[in-house]
Amino acid sequence: MLARHADPIVAIATAPGRGAVGIVRVSGKQLGGLAQALCGRSLRPREATYLPFLDARGEAIDQGLALFFPAPHSYTGEDVLELQAHGGPVVLQLLLARCLEAAAEPDQTAHAPRLPALRLAQPGEFTERAFLNGKIDLAQAEAVADLIDASTEAAARSASRSLSGALSHEVQLLRDALIQLRMLVEATLDFPEEEIDFLRSTDARGQLQRLQQRLAQVMQRTQQGALLREGIKVVIAGQPNAGKSSLLNALAGAELAIVTPIAGTTRDRVQQTIQIEGVPLHVIDTAGLRESSDEVERIGIARAWEAISTADAVLFLHDLTRADEPSYRAADAAIENALAQRLPARVPLIDVWNKSDCAPTAHPAQIAPDRPAIALSARTGQGLDALRRTLLQVAGWQAAPEGVYIARARHVQALQAVQNHLQQANALLDAPDLPLDLLAEELRLAQNALNTITGEFSSDDLLGVIFSRFCIGK
């Protein structure tokens, strides 16, 4: 634990701006003296007390509720003092300044500062202390931020499940099974003359297979949880006047992008986040792809290609009313070739044929038989539901079961590492001359990867990255 983790900390724990209630939170050791100075009396543990908050002269800054949570029965595992006042920015700043001032004042009994090291909390430091003091594990700590940042109801419910320990419980079950298997292999290393019979009699192969099956189930749920948290980035690309801005407006249900018959109206990216079945979709409208001598439009086209290169899915928009024009088809073919060169193979490409309400036929031409093609009308909305379903399908989303928990990309990557090590272990079990030391190492590495999810094994750098993204006061 770093030295700064021993310092008492204080912060405004509610969002900036005006509100009915604002909270100033203090966490540290032996906060009773500070509570006495601020409230003019001692506080009963875990009991809300309505009283005035006092300045250095004993005059009231405000009146509100004070709560004192002695260690270890608090959010952080330390003593925690919460002052719930009126939510004006000036009032809360006065309370914050008073906390720092009172901490530096000499205690009447000890004749020394009450809390000489009291300082402003860094982002996420209260939750970081809850993790360091064993109140929550790392996956639950991340779920706190995910619950605050949830952009859909499904994401909020899933984050709540992770906060209650759903993901951690699954990881613990995997860890227990892995430890059991490691124990068998390590024991066999001590008795090499019985290695094959011992591993057979304890069904090591069966245990490994059951572990891999359970891991696959957890990975499936975790990937769904990562989708709920991260969403998918969908870029609309195509020639000018194909209806890209109209499609964005139709998906968003609002007039976000300017729509005119003039080619090249969209000069820069326009982004909107929508949700489909609780999954956030970050939809980006881009400038029409073509050769242009207009400097501003060329910059917009360059930014369009930048967005395409980082997309999770690309909608290649075509105009059905111009589908039979040789020049239009040639321009589409040029974009198709450019997409093939620039778009990573893992990114799905969906052909969307717009203006089906105006075209002589609503059936799109088949450009690539191995990818989805949808005909729709951004003006009437016909075909939008089919597009939404296709986007969820290519993203890998399945109808969300009640038990899905929020997850992060790092959780998915850690489980993939576990899967790779278990596959290597399975291959070693099939080797003619069983290398027990290598088998034991693969299982150890699998457990290390698993431990990074809950923080049983984490570097200080990883913790710094995670908690720095929290808001101050949490």
Side-chain angles (χ1 to χ4, degrees):
M1 184 179 294
L2 300 177
R4 67 179 180 85
H5 293 143
D7 297 340
I9 53 175
V10 61
I12 297 173
T14 43
R18 297 173 60 196
V21 177
I23 299 174
V24 174
R25 175 182 290 165
V26 188
S27 179
K29 297 178 180 179
Q30 300 178 345
L31 299 185
L34 181 66
Q36 178 79 36
L38 294 169
C39 303
R41 51 171 291 186
S42 60
L43 300 174
R44 294 173 62 89
R46 295 173 297 281
E47 182 178 295
T49 305
Y50 181 73
L51 42 69
F53 304 130
L54 305 177
D55 63 15
R57 296 173 296 179
E59 298 179 359
I61 298 173
D62 191 12
Q63 296 202 13
L65 295 177
L67 295 100
F68 179 58
F69 303 90
H73 305 295
S74 69
Y75 178 70
T76 64
E78 304 172 330
D79 285 355
V80 170
L81 175 65
E82 287 195 356
L83 307 178
Q84 300 184 8
H86 292 95
V90 174
V91 172
L92 295 178
Q93 287 294 335
L94 286 172
L95 279 178
L96 181 65
R98 176 56 186 151
C99 288
L100 294 168
E101 179 186 36
E105 293 173 351
D107 187 272
Q108 293 179 353
T109 57
H111 304 290
R114 294 187 181 95
L115 292 172
L118 181 65
R119 59 174 174 79
L120 295 176
Q122 298 179 5
E125 195 167 1
F126 288 94
T127 303
E128 183 182 20
R129 293 193 176 195
F131 163 70
L132 293 172
N133 293 325
K135 304 296 290 187
I136 54 177
D137 63 33
L138 193 55
Q140 290 174 297
E142 290 172 304
V144 173
D146 294 336
L147 183 59
I148 294 171
D149 295 336
S151 58
T152 69
E153 180 182 351
R157 291 183 181 276
S158 298
S160 180
R161 293 189 194 99
S162 287
L163 180 56
S164 66
L167 174 58
S168 304
H169 177 68
E170 295 284 0
V171 171
Q172 183 62 51
L173 292 176
L174 289 172
R175 184 189 297 114
D176 290 345
L178 189 51
I179 290 173
Q180 176 67 21
L181 188 55
R182 285 191 66 194
M183 182 179 65
L184 295 176
V185 175
E186 296 288 348
T188 307
L189 278 170
D190 293 334
F191 303 97
E193 67 278 1
E194 300 180 9
E195 61 184 36
I196 297 178
D197 292 338
F198 183 70
L199 290 178
R200 285 176 179 171
S201 64
T202 54
D203 191 26
R205 185 182 301 279
Q207 290 191 45
L208 178 57
Q209 290 176 348
R210 288 189 292 273
L211 178 58
Q212 288 177 297
Q213 290 170 0
R214 186 172 193 90
L215 175 63
Q217 295 172 355
V218 175
M219 288 185 68
Q220 193 274 334
R221 284 178 175 265
T222 305
Q223 287 165 349
Q224 299 294 290
L227 272 178
L228 278 179
R229 180 185 184 274
E230 307 289 347
I232 58 174
K233 181 179 177 181
V234 180
V235 175
I236 307 173
Q239 294 188 55
N241 258 3
K244 297 184 296 299
S245 299
S246 297
L247 180 56
L248 172 65
N249 292 342
L251 287 171
E255 295 296 321
L256 302 173
I258 300 173
V259 177
T260 73
I262 303 172
T265 297
T266 301
R267 298 295 186 96
D268 203 352
R269 293 173 293 191
V270 180
Q271 179 172 331
Q272 176 68 15
T273 298
I274 64 174
Q275 60 169 300
I276 304 175
E277 294 186 18
V279 179
L281 266 70
H282 314 292
V283 186
I284 302 174
D285 174 29
T286 60
L289 303 177
R290 66 174 179 180
E291 295 292 332
S292 175
S293 58
D294 185 307
E295 183 62 25
V296 175
E297 186 177 1
R298 287 171 58 189
I299 294 173
I301 293 170
R303 291 182 177 179
W305 282 113
E306 290 176 5
I308 290 170
S309 66
T310 60
D312 297 313
V314 175
L315 303 181
F316 187 4
L317 199 63
H318 312 275
D319 185 348
L320 271 173
T321 63
R322 295 184 283 165
D324 294 331
E325 298 177 8
S327 59
Y328 181 83
R329 294 174 65 179
D332 256 10
I335 296 174
E336 173 84 12
N337 291 333
L339 287 171
Q341 295 175 9
R342 301 190 186 201
L343 198 63
R346 60 173 178 79
V347 179
L349 184 63
I350 303 170
D351 289 305
V352 179
W353 294 84
N354 190 26
K355 305 182 184 179
S356 61
D357 56 318
C358 302
T361 175
H363 299 287
Q366 193 72 30
I367 289 184
D370 59 342
R371 69 183 190 227
I374 298 169
L376 56 77
S377 169
R379 187 175 67 85
T380 67
Q382 182 181 2
L384 285 180
D385 286 341
L387 177 59
R388 295 187 181 102
R389 289 193 299 270
T390 301
L391 283 171
L392 290 180
Q393 181 181 3
V394 299
W397 177 251
Q398 301 173 4
E402 188 61 22
V404 165
Y405 35 73
I406 207 76
R408 297 189 171 203
R410 79 169 193 92
H411 301 155
V412 176
Q413 293 167 1
L415 291 174
Q416 288 172 342
V418 175
Q419 184 183 54
N420 293 336
H421 290 303
L422 292 185
Q423 288 173 347
Q424 290 293 330
N426 195 57
L428 291 171
L429 276 176
D430 291 332
D433 185 13
L434 179 58
L436 277 177
D437 52 345
L438 295 181
L439 176 60
E441 179 65 8
E442 290 296 340
L443 295 178
R444 185 188 69 82
L445 292 173
Q447 185 178 346
N448 281 352
L450 198 60
N451 286 342
T452 61
I453 295 177
T454 54
E456 298 291 331
F457 171 76
S458 296
S459 68
D460 289 337
D461 289 341
L462 174 62
L463 297 183
V465 169
I466 289 173
F467 290 108
S468 67
R469 297 179 182 177
F470 278 56
C471 51
I472 294 176
K474 196 63 183 173

